[in-house]
Amino acid sequence: MAHSFDVGYTAEPFLTLCASYPDETVYPPEQFRVEWGPIFHRGRLDGSARVLVIGQDPAQHETVIRRILVGEAGRRLQGFLAKLGIATSYVCINTYLYSVFGSVKAATARSPALVDYRQRWLTALLVGQKIECVVALGQAASSAWASWKATPDGQGVELPFVAITHPTQPESSSNNDKAKLAAATKKMLQNWNAALASLQGKVAHPDVAVPLVPYGDAWGPNDRPRIPDIDFPAGTPRWMRENDGWARRNGSNALAKRRNITITVSAGVVR
Amino acid sequence: MAHSFDVGYTAEPFLTLCASYPDETVYPPEQFRVEWGPIFHRGRLDGSARVLVIGQDPAQHETVIRRILVGEAGRRLQGFLAKLGIATSYVCINTYLYSVFGSVKAATARSPALVDYRQRWLTALLVGQKIECVVALGQAASSAWASWKATPDGQGVELPFVAITHPTQPESSSNNDKAKLAAATKKMLQNWNAALASLQGKVAHPDVAVPLVPYGDAWGPNDRPRIPDIDFPAGTPRWMRENDGWARRNGSNALAKRRNITITVSAGVVR
C-alpha cells in the first residue's frame, strides 16, 4: 500500500528560507520556545496551492511532526478548506516560527528581523503564484497579513482575504466549561460561515466543485476531516496523522515542563 | 547564520521506496516497534555517496528525528568515516526499517517481503552509483549485505566490504561494568582498526585526503565528531544534533514503555 508524503523543502526559495531562519537573537526565549527549533509550513510548496492560510504558532504536536497545524486546529481548518472545495491545494505558514511561551511583546512582534523573514515567505508564496484567497487564523495572523500587504510586494497583490476566529479559540476561551465551549463554538462557526459566504465563488480552481454547505451550531460529523497523508513527512506513523492528544508537555515545574515533550502512542495501536 | 539540512526523499527511486514501505504484515509487531513508523536512511541520496553503511535498526532518537544513526552510534560511525577521509559523502540504511522489539526470528529476517524491500534500496544505492566501499555494523547488517550480494544485481557489483563490530556493542555487552566496557571498547577499536587497514586506499575519492590514523585503546578526543547538519531535517534543534540522551522510553510496565518516548531538551539549553 502506498503512503503519500510531503517531500518538504526541495527547491528555492524554500531551500534558502529553511537554511537561514531567525534564531533566539530574533525570537527571545522569554517569549518563544526557540529550543524546539523553527517549524515552517504545511501543504504545497510546488506552486499548486490555491489557498494560503496564515496560522499563529506551532504547539507540541507540530514540534514532533515538524509541520504546522497538524493537530485539532489543523483538522478543523481542513474542514473549512473542504467547504471551499480545497482538498490538498493549500499552503499554510504561521505568524511565528516558534511556539509562543506566555505572550509576545508588541515590540517583538514588530521587530524587523522577525517580520522581514515572514515577508520573504509570503512573497515566495504569493507573488507570481496561483493563490486565489488568503485565510488568517486569529489576530496575530491577521496583523501578519496586513503587514505584508503594506510592502511593495503586497501592494501588487490583490486577493480576497478573510480573518477567521482561530480554530481552537472555543477551547482556549471556555476553560473546560461545557456550556461556554458550546456557545463559543457556535459563535466561531457563525464567524466561519460569514467568511465562507464572503469567499463564495472566489476560489476559481477548487480541487472539487462543491456547493457551499454552511456549518451548523456545533461540529458536524464531517467537519473535521483527516489531514491528508501528503502533508506529513515520509514514514510518519498513522496515529500521528489522525487525532492529536499524543504529545504533552509534562513536568513538575515550569522549567521541567518547558524542557519536556512526552509522546504516547494512541490507545489501541499497540496491543 | 545558515543551517544546512537534509532535503530528504525528493527523487526516484526514493519517492516510491518511501511511499511503499512494508508494514506490520511484514514486520510483526511482536518483533518490531512498527507503531513508530519506518525510518529510512541518513546521508546522501543524490548519487554523491562514496561509502555505503548498513546499520541494524533505529532506536528512540532516530524515531524522533526520522533519520537513522543519529545518536551515539552515529557519532562513532562518523569518526570511523572521518578516518577514511569521508566527511559527508556517505549514505546509511538499516537492515530493519523499524526498531527491534526483543529479538528477530530467523524466519522473519529471511522473509521475502522484508528482504526484497531492502534489496531495492541496496540496488538503488549501489548499481550504477559511485559507492567505493561498504561497511556493515554488526551481524544482521553483514547478513543483509551477503543476501544482496547473492542477487543478480549484487553479483554484478564488486566492492570492498568490511563488517565491523556495532558501534554500541561495548555498552550493550558490558552491563554497566566499567572494566568490561573498557575491554570491549578496546576490542572493538582493534576490530575497527583492522577494517580501516583493509580499506586503506580503497576510497579513491575521499572528501579530504587524510593519513590513516588508527584508534587507540579507548576513545580519543576526536573520535566522535559531530554528525553534520546536512544529515538532519530542516529546523532540527541544535541539541538534537549534538549528543544523544534526550529521548527515553519511560513507563511503569512493558506496554507503557513501548507506547512512550519522552523528549527532554538537553541540560543548559533552556535557562
Side-chain angles (χ1 to χ4, degrees):
Chain A
M1 183 190 154
H3 309 263
S4 58
F5 64 89
D6 175 26
V7 295
Y9 313 103
T10 66
E12 293 296 358
F14 305 108
L15 288 172
T16 296
L17 283 167
C18 293
S20 59
Y21 52 82
D23 61 11
E24 66 277 8
T25 61
V26 175
Y27 279 90
E30 303 78 38
Q31 299 168 55
F32 295 95
R33 302 176 190 272
V34 280
E35 63 275 12
W36 292 98
I39 305 163
F40 300 105
H41 103 297
R42 174 160 75 86
R44 311 288 77 69
L45 295 176
D46 62 357
S48 66
R50 297 291 182 173
V51 178
L52 169 69
V53 178
I54 309 176
Q56 186 176 291
D57 68 310
Q60 66 270 32
H61 295 87
E62 285 74 16
T63 301
V64 173
I65 294 190
R66 305 211 79 81
R67 294 293 185 272
I68 68 168
L69 286 162
V70 293
E72 180 61 22
R75 290 190 65 147
R76 295 178 183 180
L77 168 65
Q78 213 67 34
F80 181 90
L81 294 169
K83 285 182 183 288
L84 295 169
I86 293 292
T88 56
S89 299
Y90 51 80
V91 61
C92 316
I93 64 165
N94 273 339
T95 306
Y96 302 120
L97 279 182
Y98 301 92
S99 185
V100 172
F101 184 72
S103 61
V104 182
K105 289 182 183 171
T108 304
R110 282 195 303 265
S111 80
L114 189 156
V115 172
D116 289 352
Y117 179 80
R118 190 178 60 225
Q119 311 290 44
R120 289 164 61 201
W121 271 91
L122 288 168
T123 294
L125 296 172
L126 288 159
V127 175
Q129 300 295 310
K130 295 181 183 162
I131 298 290
E132 297 176 333
C133 74
V134 177
V135 179
L137 310 181
Q139 296 195 327
S142 203
S143 300
W145 173 250
S147 166
W148 185 76
K149 273 298 290 168
T151 65
D153 283 332
Q155 286 165 21
V157 170
E158 279 307 321
L159 284 173
F161 168 77
V162 290
I164 66 176
T165 305
H166 191 278
T168 50
Q169 186 275 341
E171 280 73 9
S172 44
S173 70
S174 61
N175 206 15
N176 285 323
D177 179 320
K178 281 193 177 179
K180 278 189 188 171
L181 176 62
T185 300
K186 179 178 172 180
K187 193 175 167 193
M188 181 179 80
L189 295 177
Q190 288 171 344
N191 168 278
W192 287 20
N193 280 339
L196 288 170
S198 87
L199 291 177
Q200 200 169 11
K202 304 281 174 62
V203 179
H205 298 85
D207 296 318
V208 196
V210 290
L212 178 57
V213 180
Y215 291 97
D217 289 344
W219 295 111
N222 304 315
D223 289 345
R224 301 165 49 260
R226 278 191 56 178
I227 296 167
D229 289 353
I230 199 174
D231 286 10
F232 293 88
T236 304
R238 188 180 314 157
W239 50 272
M240 285 191 182
R241 293 182 257 123
E242 292 174 349
N243 291 305
D244 69 6
W246 48 261
R248 274 182 292 270
R249 301 193 196 272
N250 294 333
S252 53
N253 59 51
L255 178 62
K257 227 169 161 166
R258 181 162 175 171
R259 290 179 59 200
N260 177 276
I261 291 179
T262 294
I263 311 173
T264 307
V265 176
S266 301
V269 174
V270 186
R271 281 174 295 260
Chain B
M1 184 190 154
H3 309 263
S4 57
F5 64 89
D6 175 27
V7 294
Y9 314 105
T10 65
E12 293 296 357
F14 305 109
L15 288 172
T16 296
L17 282 166
C18 292
S20 59
Y21 52 83
D23 62 11
E24 66 276 6
T25 61
V26 174
Y27 279 90
E30 303 79 39
Q31 298 167 55
F32 295 96
R33 302 176 191 271
V34 280
E35 63 275 13
W36 292 98
I39 305 163
F40 300 105
H41 103 296
R42 173 160 75 87
R44 311 289 77 70
L45 295 176
D46 61 356
S48 66
R50 297 291 182 173
V51 178
L52 168 70
V53 178
I54 309 176
Q56 185 176 292
D57 68 309
Q60 66 270 32
H61 295 87
E62 284 74 15
T63 301
V64 174
I65 293 191
R66 305 212 80 82
R67 293 293 184 274
I68 68 167
L69 286 161
V70 293
E72 180 61 22
R75 290 189 64 145
R76 293 178 184 180
L77 168 65
Q78 213 67 34
F80 182 89
L81 294 168
K83 285 181 182 289
L84 295 169
I86 293 293
T88 56
S89 299
Y90 51 79
V91 61
C92 316
I93 64 165
N94 273 339
T95 305
Y96 302 120
L97 278 182
Y98 301 91
S99 185
V100 173
F101 184 71
S103 61
V104 182
K105 290 182 182 169
T108 304
R110 283 194 301 264
S111 80
L114 188 156
V115 172
D116 288 353
Y117 179 80
R118 189 178 60 224
Q119 311 289 45
R120 290 165 60 200
W121 271 91
L122 288 167
T123 293
L125 296 172
L126 288 159
V127 174
Q129 299 296 309
K130 295 180 182 162
I131 298 290
E132 298 178 332
C133 75
V134 178
V135 179
L137 310 181
Q139 295 195 326
S142 203
S143 300
W145 173 250
S147 167
W148 184 75
K149 273 298 290 168
T151 65
D153 282 332
Q155 286 164 22
V157 170
E158 279 308 322
L159 284 173
F161 168 77
V162 290
I164 66 176
T165 305
H166 192 278
T168 50
Q169 185 276 341
E171 280 73 9
S172 43
S173 69
S174 60
N175 206 16
N176 284 323
D177 179 319
K178 281 192 176 180
K180 277 190 188 172
L181 176 62
T185 300
K186 180 178 173 179
K187 193 175 168 193
M188 181 178 81
L189 295 177
Q190 288 170 344
N191 168 278
W192 287 20
N193 280 338
L196 288 169
S198 87
L199 291 176
Q200 199 169 10
K202 305 280 172 64
V203 179
H205 299 85
D207 296 318
V208 196
V210 290
L212 178 57
V213 180
Y215 290 97
D217 290 342
W219 295 111
N222 303 316
D223 289 344
R224 302 165 48 258
R226 278 191 56 177
I227 296 167
D229 289 352
I230 199 174
D231 286 10
F232 293 88
T236 305
R238 187 181 312 157
W239 49 272
M240 285 192 181
R241 294 181 257 123
E242 291 175 348
N243 291 304
D244 69 6
W246 47 261
R248 275 182 291 271
R249 302 194 197 271
N250 294 334
S252 54
N253 60 50
L255 178 62
K257 229 171 159 164
R258 182 162 174 171
R259 289 179 60 198
N260 177 276
I261 291 180
T262 294
I263 310 174
T264 307
V265 176
S266 301
V269 174
V270 186
R271 280 174 295 262

